[in-house]
């Protein structure tokens, strides 16, 4: 990344954003009729698709059945065409396994699993185009899909990345900024209670700067929440007349 100015003297980033500014977010819910819930989201040039099935009976081995709450089953994958490098990405590779565990941990903290004992909830997320913030985009897509499925949650789960470049915290990193190699973290937040569902750092950061970077990520998560909440409200306005036509409440 030598020679590339990630932050100008005027405080602008490579793509023209200010330090705490999000990339443009566009999202749709209910994109798959066959699934119980689904959503498609674009954060800048990163694009993700999420589908949710359940709650349903445990499939396969009953040994994983939990008698006091639902099992949350997650799977993360990247489409072959999601990056400029056309390589096959099996579900079991190290990065996918790590992301799958992070998603599972995040949504176990948010979904009211105690309402569905001895059941299973499946969340499948796929990155269609990767340009930074893959985990965060997947969390935001999965949140919309879980809401679309009508599964109760404690709160929205909103995620954003943050980095520290030239003594400045940057929110919602793009691929170019991630590739610069500075300290980065990913934060998944329940915005109303400000509970942290997941916090991951990829390298060391001096504790004097840590609070500033977490605050930048936290503010970005709340900005994401405002966008996702509007997407849900717009979707409800779209589907309400259809539900009324069927004679349902």
């Amino acid at each position: 990344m030598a020679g590339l100015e990630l932050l100008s003297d005027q405080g602008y980033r490579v793509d023209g954003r200010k330090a705490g500014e999000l990339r443009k977010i566009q999202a749709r819910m209910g994109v798959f009729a066959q699934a119980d819930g689904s959503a498609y989201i674009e954060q800048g040039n990163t694009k993700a698709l999420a589908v949710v099935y359940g709650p349903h009976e445990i499939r396969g081995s009953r040994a994983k059945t939990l008698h006091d709450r639902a099992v949350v089953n997650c799977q993360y994958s990247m489409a072959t065409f999601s990056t400029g490098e056309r390589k096959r990405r099996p579900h079991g590779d190290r990065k996918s396994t790590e992301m799958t565990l992070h998603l599972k941990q995040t949504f176990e903290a948010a979904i009211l699993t105690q309402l569905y004992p001895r059941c299973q909830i499946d969340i499948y997320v796929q990155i269609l185009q990767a340009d930074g913030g893959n985990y965060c985009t997947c969390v935001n897509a999965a949140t919309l899909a879980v809401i679309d499925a009508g599964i109760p949650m404690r709160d929205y789960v909103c995620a954003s990345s943050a980095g520290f470049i030239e003594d400045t915290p940057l929110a919602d990193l793009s691929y170019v900024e991630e590739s610069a190699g500075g300290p980065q973290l990913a934060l998944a937040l329940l915005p109303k209670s400000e509970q942290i569902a997941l916090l991951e750092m990829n390298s060391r950061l001096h504790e004097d700067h840590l609070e500033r970077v977490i605050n930048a990520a936290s503010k970005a998560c709340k900005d994401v929440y405002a966008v996702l909440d509007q997407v849900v409200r717009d979707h409800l306005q779209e589907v309400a007349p259809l539900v009324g036509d069927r004679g349902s409440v």
Side-chain angles (χ1 to χ4, degrees), residues 1 4-9 11-15 17-20 161-185 201-206 209-210 212-213 216:
M1 302 308 298
L4 182 63
E5 188 180 47
L6 294 174
L7 195 65
S8 72
D9 295 337
Y12 290 99
R13 294 153 72 172
V14 176
D15 53 9
R17 290 183 290 152
K18 292 187 176 177
S161 58
F164 194 71
I165 294 172
E166 296 175 23
D167 203 38
T168 307
L170 303 183
D172 192 17
L173 302 179
S174 66
Y175 176 74
V176 170
E177 291 163 341
E178 285 184 351
S179 303
Q184 299 161 25
L185 62 80
M201 284 196 66
N202 76 334
S203 61
R204 297 196 315 185
L205 176 67
H206 196 283
H209 307 309
L210 181 60
R212 290 170 60 201
V213 177

Short mmCIF file of all heavy atoms in Angstrom, two decimals, residues 1 4-9 11-15 17-20 161-185 201-206 209-210 212-213 216:
data_model
loop_
_atom_site.label_atom_id
_atom_site.label_comp_id
_atom_site.label_asym_id
_atom_site.label_seq_id
_atom_site.Cartn_x
_atom_site.Cartn_y
_atom_site.Cartn_z
N MET A 1 0.83 -1.21 0.00
CA MET A 1 0.00 0.00 0.00
C MET A 1 0.87 1.26 0.00
O MET A 1 0.42 2.35 0.31
CB MET A 1 -0.91 0.02 1.24
CG MET A 1 -1.84 -1.19 1.35
SD MET A 1 -2.81 -1.50 -0.13
CE MET A 1 -3.76 0.00 -0.25
N LEU A 4 -0.02 5.20 -1.20
CA LEU A 4 -1.44 5.51 -1.21
C LEU A 4 -1.81 6.25 0.07
O LEU A 4 -1.58 5.76 1.17
CB LEU A 4 -2.26 4.22 -1.33
CG LEU A 4 -3.79 4.40 -1.40
CD1 LEU A 4 -4.17 5.18 -2.65
CD2 LEU A 4 -4.48 3.06 -1.41
N GLU A 5 -2.39 7.44 -0.10
CA GLU A 5 -2.77 8.26 1.05
C GLU A 5 -4.16 7.83 1.52
O GLU A 5 -5.15 8.07 0.83
CB GLU A 5 -2.76 9.74 0.65
CG GLU A 5 -2.96 10.69 1.81
CD GLU A 5 -2.96 12.14 1.38
OE1 GLU A 5 -3.64 12.47 0.39
OE2 GLU A 5 -2.28 12.95 2.02
N LEU A 6 -4.23 7.18 2.68
CA LEU A 6 -5.51 6.67 3.18
C LEU A 6 -6.34 7.76 3.84
O LEU A 6 -7.55 7.63 3.95
CB LEU A 6 -5.25 5.53 4.18
CG LEU A 6 -4.63 4.27 3.58
CD1 LEU A 6 -4.28 3.27 4.67
CD2 LEU A 6 -5.55 3.63 2.55
N LEU A 7 -5.69 8.83 4.30
CA LEU A 7 -6.40 9.94 4.94
C LEU A 7 -5.72 11.24 4.51
O LEU A 7 -4.53 11.43 4.78
CB LEU A 7 -6.35 9.78 6.46
CG LEU A 7 -7.32 10.62 7.28
CD1 LEU A 7 -8.78 10.23 6.99
CD2 LEU A 7 -7.04 10.48 8.77
N SER A 8 -6.48 12.09 3.83
CA SER A 8 -5.89 13.33 3.33
C SER A 8 -5.71 14.35 4.45
O SER A 8 -6.24 14.17 5.56
CB SER A 8 -6.79 13.93 2.23
OG SER A 8 -7.97 14.45 2.81
N ASP A 9 -5.00 15.42 4.15
CA ASP A 9 -4.80 16.49 5.14
C ASP A 9 -6.12 17.12 5.55
O ASP A 9 -6.27 17.65 6.65
CB ASP A 9 -3.87 17.57 4.57
CG ASP A 9 -2.46 17.03 4.33
OD1 ASP A 9 -2.11 16.02 4.97
OD2 ASP A 9 -1.75 17.61 3.49
N GLY A 11 -8.83 15.45 5.96
CA GLY A 11 -9.59 14.48 6.74
C GLY A 11 -10.49 13.59 5.91
O GLY A 11 -11.42 12.98 6.44
N TYR A 12 -10.22 13.49 4.59
CA TYR A 12 -11.04 12.64 3.73
C TYR A 12 -10.31 11.35 3.41
O TYR A 12 -9.08 11.32 3.26
CB TYR A 12 -11.40 13.37 2.43
CG TYR A 12 -12.39 14.48 2.64
CD1 TYR A 12 -11.95 15.81 2.73
CD2 TYR A 12 -13.75 14.22 2.78
CE1 TYR A 12 -12.86 16.84 2.94
CE2 TYR A 12 -14.66 15.24 2.99
CZ TYR A 12 -14.21 16.55 3.07
OH TYR A 12 -15.10 17.55 3.29
N ARG A 13 -11.08 10.27 3.28
CA ARG A 13 -10.51 8.96 2.99
C ARG A 13 -10.43 8.73 1.49
O ARG A 13 -10.86 9.57 0.70
CB ARG A 13 -11.39 7.89 3.68
CG ARG A 13 -11.30 8.02 5.19
CD ARG A 13 -12.52 7.50 5.91
NE ARG A 13 -12.63 6.06 5.89
CZ ARG A 13 -13.54 5.39 6.58
NH1 ARG A 13 -14.41 6.03 7.34
NH2 ARG A 13 -13.58 4.07 6.52
N VAL A 14 -9.92 7.56 1.09
CA VAL A 14 -9.69 7.25 -0.32
C VAL A 14 -10.99 7.37 -1.13
O VAL A 14 -10.99 7.86 -2.26
CB VAL A 14 -9.12 5.82 -0.47
CG1 VAL A 14 -8.98 5.43 -1.93
CG2 VAL A 14 -7.77 5.72 0.23
N ASP A 15 -12.12 6.92 -0.54
CA ASP A 15 -13.40 6.95 -1.26
C ASP A 15 -14.20 8.23 -1.00
O ASP A 15 -15.38 8.31 -1.34
CB ASP A 15 -14.25 5.72 -0.92
CG ASP A 15 -14.42 5.54 0.60
OD1 ASP A 15 -14.04 6.46 1.35
OD2 ASP A 15 -14.92 4.48 1.01
N ARG A 17 -15.03 9.61 1.92
CA ARG A 17 -15.77 9.69 3.18
C ARG A 17 -14.95 10.38 4.26
O ARG A 17 -13.72 10.41 4.20
CB ARG A 17 -16.12 8.27 3.68
CG ARG A 17 -17.15 7.56 2.88
CD ARG A 17 -17.46 6.21 3.50
NE ARG A 17 -16.34 5.28 3.35
CZ ARG A 17 -16.08 4.28 4.19
NH1 ARG A 17 -16.84 4.11 5.27
NH2 ARG A 17 -15.07 3.47 3.98
N LYS A 18 -15.66 10.91 5.26
CA LYS A 18 -14.97 11.42 6.45
C LYS A 18 -14.69 10.24 7.39
O LYS A 18 -15.18 9.14 7.18
CB LYS A 18 -15.82 12.48 7.13
CG LYS A 18 -15.94 13.75 6.30
CD LYS A 18 -16.63 14.86 7.06
CE LYS A 18 -16.65 16.14 6.22
NZ LYS A 18 -17.38 17.23 6.87
N ALA A 19 -13.92 10.47 8.44
CA ALA A 19 -13.42 9.39 9.31
C ALA A 19 -14.53 8.52 9.88
O ALA A 19 -14.44 7.29 9.88
CB ALA A 19 -12.57 9.97 10.44
N GLY A 20 -15.63 9.12 10.36
CA GLY A 20 -16.69 8.35 11.01
C GLY A 20 -17.87 8.03 10.11
O GLY A 20 -18.90 7.55 10.59
N SER A 161 -17.04 -2.31 11.40
CA SER A 161 -15.60 -2.41 11.66
C SER A 161 -15.06 -1.01 11.96
O SER A 161 -15.71 0.00 11.68
CB SER A 161 -14.89 -3.00 10.44
OG SER A 161 -15.14 -2.19 9.30
N ALA A 162 -13.88 -0.96 12.52
CA ALA A 162 -13.18 0.31 12.75
C ALA A 162 -11.69 0.04 12.73
O ALA A 162 -11.23 -1.06 13.06
CB ALA A 162 -13.60 0.93 14.07
N GLY A 163 -10.94 1.04 12.33
CA GLY A 163 -9.49 0.92 12.28
C GLY A 163 -8.83 2.17 12.83
O GLY A 163 -9.51 3.14 13.21
N PHE A 164 -7.51 2.14 12.88
CA PHE A 164 -6.76 3.27 13.43
C PHE A 164 -5.63 3.59 12.47
O PHE A 164 -4.67 2.83 12.37
CB PHE A 164 -6.25 2.93 14.83
CG PHE A 164 -5.75 4.11 15.60
CD1 PHE A 164 -6.64 5.06 16.09
CD2 PHE A 164 -4.39 4.28 15.84
CE1 PHE A 164 -6.19 6.15 16.81
CE2 PHE A 164 -3.94 5.37 16.56
CZ PHE A 164 -4.85 6.31 17.05
N ILE A 165 -5.78 4.67 11.73
CA ILE A 165 -4.80 5.05 10.71
C ILE A 165 -4.41 6.51 10.92
O ILE A 165 -5.29 7.38 11.05
CB ILE A 165 -5.37 4.83 9.29
CG1 ILE A 165 -5.60 3.33 9.03
CG2 ILE A 165 -4.45 5.41 8.23
CD1 ILE A 165 -6.32 3.00 7.76
N GLU A 166 -3.12 6.78 10.95
CA GLU A 166 -2.59 8.14 11.11
C GLU A 166 -3.22 8.85 12.32
O GLU A 166 -3.71 9.98 12.20
CB GLU A 166 -2.82 8.94 9.82
CG GLU A 166 -2.07 8.39 8.62
CD GLU A 166 -2.39 9.12 7.32
OE1 GLU A 166 -2.83 10.28 7.39
OE2 GLU A 166 -2.20 8.51 6.26
N ASP A 167 -3.25 8.13 13.44
CA ASP A 167 -3.74 8.67 14.71
C ASP A 167 -5.24 9.05 14.65
O ASP A 167 -5.71 9.88 15.43
CB ASP A 167 -2.92 9.90 15.13
CG ASP A 167 -3.01 10.13 16.64
OD1 ASP A 167 -3.02 9.14 17.39
OD2 ASP A 167 -3.10 11.30 17.05
N THR A 168 -5.97 8.45 13.71
CA THR A 168 -7.40 8.75 13.55
C THR A 168 -8.21 7.46 13.50
O THR A 168 -7.89 6.57 12.69
CB THR A 168 -7.65 9.55 12.24
OG1 THR A 168 -6.78 10.68 12.23
CG2 THR A 168 -9.09 10.00 12.14
N PRO A 169 -9.26 7.32 14.32
CA PRO A 169 -10.15 6.15 14.20
C PRO A 169 -11.02 6.27 12.95
O PRO A 169 -11.63 7.33 12.72
CB PRO A 169 -11.01 6.21 15.47
CG PRO A 169 -10.40 7.26 16.34
CD PRO A 169 -9.67 8.19 15.43
N LEU A 170 -11.07 5.23 12.14
CA LEU A 170 -11.90 5.21 10.94
C LEU A 170 -12.98 4.15 11.09
O LEU A 170 -12.70 3.03 11.52
CB LEU A 170 -11.06 4.87 9.70
CG LEU A 170 -9.86 5.76 9.38
CD1 LEU A 170 -9.21 5.31 8.08
CD2 LEU A 170 -10.28 7.22 9.26
N ALA A 171 -14.22 4.50 10.75
CA ALA A 171 -15.34 3.56 10.86
C ALA A 171 -15.63 2.92 9.51
O ALA A 171 -15.42 3.53 8.46
CB ALA A 171 -16.58 4.30 11.37
N ASP A 172 -16.15 1.68 9.55
CA ASP A 172 -16.62 0.96 8.36
C ASP A 172 -15.53 0.91 7.28
O ASP A 172 -15.62 1.57 6.25
CB ASP A 172 -17.89 1.64 7.82
CG ASP A 172 -18.60 0.79 6.77
OD1 ASP A 172 -18.31 -0.41 6.68
OD2 ASP A 172 -19.44 1.35 6.04
N LEU A 173 -14.54 0.07 7.51
CA LEU A 173 -13.37 0.02 6.63
C LEU A 173 -13.68 -0.66 5.30
O LEU A 173 -14.39 -1.66 5.25
CB LEU A 173 -12.23 -0.76 7.32
CG LEU A 173 -11.75 -0.22 8.67
CD1 LEU A 173 -10.64 -1.11 9.21
CD2 LEU A 173 -11.28 1.22 8.56
N SER A 174 -13.11 -0.11 4.24
CA SER A 174 -13.20 -0.73 2.92
C SER A 174 -12.03 -1.72 2.77
O SER A 174 -11.14 -1.78 3.63
CB SER A 174 -13.12 0.33 1.82
OG SER A 174 -11.83 0.93 1.84
N TYR A 175 -12.01 -2.45 1.67
CA TYR A 175 -10.95 -3.44 1.46
C TYR A 175 -9.57 -2.77 1.40
O TYR A 175 -8.60 -3.29 1.95
CB TYR A 175 -11.22 -4.21 0.15
CG TYR A 175 -10.12 -5.18 -0.20
CD1 TYR A 175 -9.98 -6.38 0.51
CD2 TYR A 175 -9.20 -4.91 -1.22
CE1 TYR A 175 -8.97 -7.28 0.21
CE2 TYR A 175 -8.18 -5.80 -1.52
CZ TYR A 175 -8.08 -6.97 -0.81
OH TYR A 175 -7.07 -7.86 -1.10
N VAL A 176 -9.49 -1.60 0.74
CA VAL A 176 -8.21 -0.89 0.63
C VAL A 176 -7.69 -0.54 2.02
O VAL A 176 -6.50 -0.71 2.32
CB VAL A 176 -8.38 0.39 -0.23
CG1 VAL A 176 -7.14 1.27 -0.15
CG2 VAL A 176 -8.67 0.02 -1.67
N GLU A 177 -8.58 -0.07 2.90
CA GLU A 177 -8.18 0.32 4.25
C GLU A 177 -7.82 -0.91 5.10
O GLU A 177 -6.89 -0.87 5.91
CB GLU A 177 -9.29 1.14 4.90
CG GLU A 177 -9.46 2.51 4.25
CD GLU A 177 -10.79 3.18 4.57
OE1 GLU A 177 -11.74 2.48 4.99
OE2 GLU A 177 -10.88 4.41 4.38
N GLU A 178 -8.57 -2.00 4.92
CA GLU A 178 -8.24 -3.24 5.63
C GLU A 178 -6.87 -3.77 5.21
O GLU A 178 -6.11 -4.28 6.03
CB GLU A 178 -9.31 -4.31 5.36
CG GLU A 178 -10.61 -4.08 6.10
CD GLU A 178 -11.60 -5.22 5.90
OE1 GLU A 178 -11.35 -6.10 5.05
OE2 GLU A 178 -12.64 -5.20 6.57
N SER A 179 -6.57 -3.63 3.92
CA SER A 179 -5.31 -4.16 3.38
C SER A 179 -4.09 -3.35 3.83
O SER A 179 -2.96 -3.80 3.66
CB SER A 179 -5.36 -4.18 1.85
OG SER A 179 -6.46 -4.94 1.40
N ALA A 180 -4.33 -2.16 4.37
CA ALA A 180 -3.22 -1.30 4.81
C ALA A 180 -2.48 -1.92 5.99
O ALA A 180 -1.32 -1.58 6.26
CB ALA A 180 -3.74 0.08 5.17
N GLY A 181 -3.15 -2.82 6.72
CA GLY A 181 -2.47 -3.57 7.77
C GLY A 181 -2.43 -2.92 9.13
O GLY A 181 -1.76 -3.41 10.02
N GLY A 182 -3.16 -1.83 9.35
CA GLY A 182 -3.21 -1.20 10.66
C GLY A 182 -4.11 -1.96 11.62
O GLY A 182 -4.77 -2.94 11.23
N PRO A 183 -4.17 -1.55 12.89
CA PRO A 183 -5.06 -2.21 13.85
C PRO A 183 -6.53 -2.07 13.42
O PRO A 183 -6.95 -1.00 12.99
CB PRO A 183 -4.81 -1.45 15.16
CG PRO A 183 -3.55 -0.69 14.95
CD PRO A 183 -3.44 -0.43 13.49
N GLN A 184 -7.28 -3.16 13.52
CA GLN A 184 -8.70 -3.16 13.13
C GLN A 184 -9.49 -3.95 14.16
O GLN A 184 -8.98 -4.88 14.77
CB GLN A 184 -8.88 -3.82 11.76
CG GLN A 184 -8.16 -3.15 10.62
CD GLN A 184 -8.01 -4.07 9.43
OE1 GLN A 184 -8.79 -5.00 9.25
NE2 GLN A 184 -6.99 -3.85 8.62
N LEU A 185 -10.75 -3.57 14.30
CA LEU A 185 -11.65 -4.38 15.14
C LEU A 185 -13.01 -4.47 14.48
O LEU A 185 -13.38 -3.63 13.65
CB LEU A 185 -11.75 -3.82 16.56
CG LEU A 185 -12.29 -2.41 16.82
CD1 LEU A 185 -13.81 -2.37 16.80
CD2 LEU A 185 -11.80 -1.92 18.19
N MET A 201 -10.52 -8.20 17.64
CA MET A 201 -9.41 -7.37 17.14
C MET A 201 -8.41 -8.25 16.41
O MET A 201 -8.19 -9.40 16.79
CB MET A 201 -8.70 -6.67 18.31
CG MET A 201 -9.48 -5.50 18.85
SD MET A 201 -8.45 -4.44 19.88
CE MET A 201 -7.30 -3.80 18.67
N ASN A 202 -7.83 -7.69 15.35
CA ASN A 202 -6.91 -8.51 14.54
C ASN A 202 -5.44 -8.25 14.86
O ASN A 202 -4.57 -8.95 14.38
CB ASN A 202 -7.16 -8.27 13.05
CG ASN A 202 -6.59 -6.95 12.58
OD1 ASN A 202 -6.44 -6.01 13.38
ND2 ASN A 202 -6.27 -6.85 11.31
N SER A 203 -5.16 -7.20 15.63
CA SER A 203 -3.77 -6.92 15.98
C SER A 203 -3.73 -6.06 17.23
O SER A 203 -4.76 -5.59 17.71
CB SER A 203 -3.05 -6.20 14.82
OG SER A 203 -3.68 -4.97 14.54
N ARG A 204 -2.53 -5.82 17.74
CA ARG A 204 -2.41 -5.08 18.98
C ARG A 204 -2.65 -3.58 18.75
O ARG A 204 -2.29 -3.04 17.70
CB ARG A 204 -1.02 -5.29 19.58
CG ARG A 204 -0.78 -6.73 19.94
CD ARG A 204 0.39 -6.95 20.85
NE ARG A 204 1.59 -6.20 20.48
CZ ARG A 204 2.75 -6.34 21.11
NH1 ARG A 204 2.85 -7.18 22.11
NH2 ARG A 204 3.80 -5.65 20.74
N LEU A 205 -3.25 -2.96 19.75
CA LEU A 205 -3.51 -1.52 19.71
C LEU A 205 -3.27 -0.98 21.11
O LEU A 205 -3.73 -1.57 22.09
CB LEU A 205 -4.96 -1.26 19.27
CG LEU A 205 -5.44 0.19 19.27
CD1 LEU A 205 -4.70 1.01 18.22
CD2 LEU A 205 -6.94 0.25 19.00
N HIS A 206 -2.56 0.13 21.20
CA HIS A 206 -2.26 0.69 22.52
C HIS A 206 -3.55 1.07 23.23
O HIS A 206 -4.48 1.59 22.62
CB HIS A 206 -1.37 1.93 22.36
CG HIS A 206 -0.70 2.33 23.64
ND1 HIS A 206 -1.36 3.00 24.65
CD2 HIS A 206 0.57 2.14 24.09
CE1 HIS A 206 -0.54 3.21 25.66
NE2 HIS A 206 0.64 2.70 25.35
N HIS A 209 -5.50 4.30 22.75
CA HIS A 209 -6.31 4.52 21.55
C HIS A 209 -7.54 3.62 21.49
O HIS A 209 -8.46 3.89 20.70
CB HIS A 209 -5.47 4.27 20.28
CG HIS A 209 -4.19 5.04 20.25
ND1 HIS A 209 -4.13 6.41 20.46
CD2 HIS A 209 -2.91 4.64 20.02
CE1 HIS A 209 -2.86 6.81 20.37
NE2 HIS A 209 -2.11 5.76 20.11
N LEU A 210 -7.56 2.56 22.29
CA LEU A 210 -8.61 1.55 22.17
C LEU A 210 -10.01 2.13 22.34
O LEU A 210 -10.92 1.85 21.56
CB LEU A 210 -8.37 0.43 23.19
CG LEU A 210 -9.39 -0.72 23.17
CD1 LEU A 210 -9.39 -1.41 21.81
CD2 LEU A 210 -9.09 -1.72 24.27
N ARG A 212 -11.12 5.13 21.84
CA ARG A 212 -11.53 5.96 20.70
C ARG A 212 -11.99 5.10 19.52
O ARG A 212 -12.97 5.42 18.85
CB ARG A 212 -10.37 6.85 20.26
CG ARG A 212 -10.04 7.97 21.26
CD ARG A 212 -8.73 8.64 20.88
NE ARG A 212 -8.80 9.25 19.55
CZ ARG A 212 -7.73 9.54 18.81
NH1 ARG A 212 -6.52 9.23 19.25
NH2 ARG A 212 -7.88 10.10 17.64
N VAL A 213 -11.27 4.01 19.29
CA VAL A 213 -11.62 3.13 18.16
C VAL A 213 -12.95 2.41 18.44
O VAL A 213 -13.81 2.31 17.55
CB VAL A 213 -10.49 2.11 17.87
CG1 VAL A 213 -10.90 1.17 16.75
CG2 VAL A 213 -9.21 2.84 17.52
N ALA A 216 -15.75 4.82 17.93
CA ALA A 216 -16.02 5.03 16.51
C ALA A 216 -16.86 3.89 15.94
O ALA A 216 -17.82 4.11 15.19
CB ALA A 216 -14.71 5.16 15.74
#
